Amino acid sequence: MKWFNVGTRYVFTIALFASISCGAYGNVLVNGGFETGDLTGWDEPDVNNNPWSVLGFARTGSHSAYSAPMPTAGPSNLYQSFDPIPVSQITEAGYWYFHMGGTGSVGSAVTLTFSDASQVQDTLFAEDPEYVQFEWAYRDLTPTLAGYADKSLTQISFFTGVNKAKYIDDVVIVPEPSSLLLIGLGGVAICTRSRRAQG
């Protein structure tokens, strides 16, 4: 029975380590909720005609990123890069937005960049029934990513608001948990069955 006790402790240790790792893994983005009170973790172009800022207005916590309205559309100018994540392993990707209304056909737009330098733009038009003004609303990016399951995501980039002020908050990109937990739990089940068979 000694082998069982040692094996069980070993497997439970693996399961515990995996569960801790999975719990800490979560969102790969740094400062996705802007709770540092600044743009730590995010980048902007060296020349930015409409820089973002962080204000004390938020969906959760105390802060969100703010973009003042621009008269015309320009390139996306608030971005964060990260190690490549296979799109097939992403379980959650999205952000919350608060738009102050105004004219223009684009309600919100995001560029998603892959490791092969290709890109896809997720655009929410103001005419779309899903578009919401003057309250926080969630934009799910997983439907846009679904067509790129063979690629790896490396960057998310936001456009400024056109003719309307824009806030974003709680930006998330979450890959699936490590399979170590499943391996550990599977080992526990095997050891348990072996013990019952011997008993």
Side-chain angles (χ1 to χ4, degrees):
M1 297 297 290
K2 185 177 181 180
W3 68 269
F4 172 76
N5 292 334
V6 173
T8 301
R9 285 197 296 270
Y10 176 73
V11 170
F12 270 115
T13 300
I14 292 176
L16 178 62
F17 173 77
S19 64
I20 292 172
S21 298
C22 292
Y25 201 38
N27 188 10
V28 301
L29 297 177
V30 176
N31 195 25
F34 306 99
E35 290 306 300
T36 61
D38 55 27
L39 293 174
T40 297
W42 297 88
D43 291 300
E44 296 183 271
D46 292 335
V47 178
N48 188 355
N49 294 327
N50 192 32
W52 289 71
S53 58
V54 173
L55 299 181
F57 171 73
R59 174 190 166 261
T60 61
S62 302
H63 300 91
S64 67
Y66 170 77
S67 169
M70 286 189 70
T72 58
S76 56
N77 61 355
L78 179 68
Y79 60 92
Q80 186 168 150
S81 302
F82 39 85
D83 291 336
I85 304 170
V87 171
S88 60
Q89 295 180 9
I90 294 175
T91 59
E92 182 182 3
Y95 63 97
W96 289 81
Y97 67 87
F98 190 108
H99 286 192
M100 303 298 288
T103 59
S105 61
V106 177
S108 186
V110 172
T111 297
L112 300 165
T113 303
F114 304 102
S115 57
D116 61 0
S118 63
Q119 297 179 324
V120 61
Q121 185 172 314
D122 178 273
T123 304
L124 177 62
F125 293 99
E127 293 79 10
D128 194 308
E130 295 180 8
Y131 175 65
V132 177
Q133 298 181 67
F134 308 116
E135 64 180 80
W136 286 104
Y138 183 70
R139 180 60 174 174
D140 185 3
L141 298 175
T142 55
T144 297
L145 287 170
Y148 300 86
D150 60 334
K151 294 180 180 289
S152 292
L153 188 65
T154 59
Q155 187 184 91
I156 183 169
S157 178
F158 289 89
F159 288 78
T160 54
V162 179
N163 293 324
K164 61 180 72 68
K166 171 182 178 179
Y167 298 84
I168 59 171
D169 200 5
D170 298 330
V171 188
V172 295
I173 296 176
V174 181
E176 65 186 6
S178 170
S179 59
L180 281 177
L181 179 59
L182 296 178
I183 294 172
L185 294 177
V188 170
I190 292 171
C191 287
T192 302
R193 283 198 298 270
S194 298
R195 182 179 183 183
R196 288 175 180 171
Q198 290 185 0

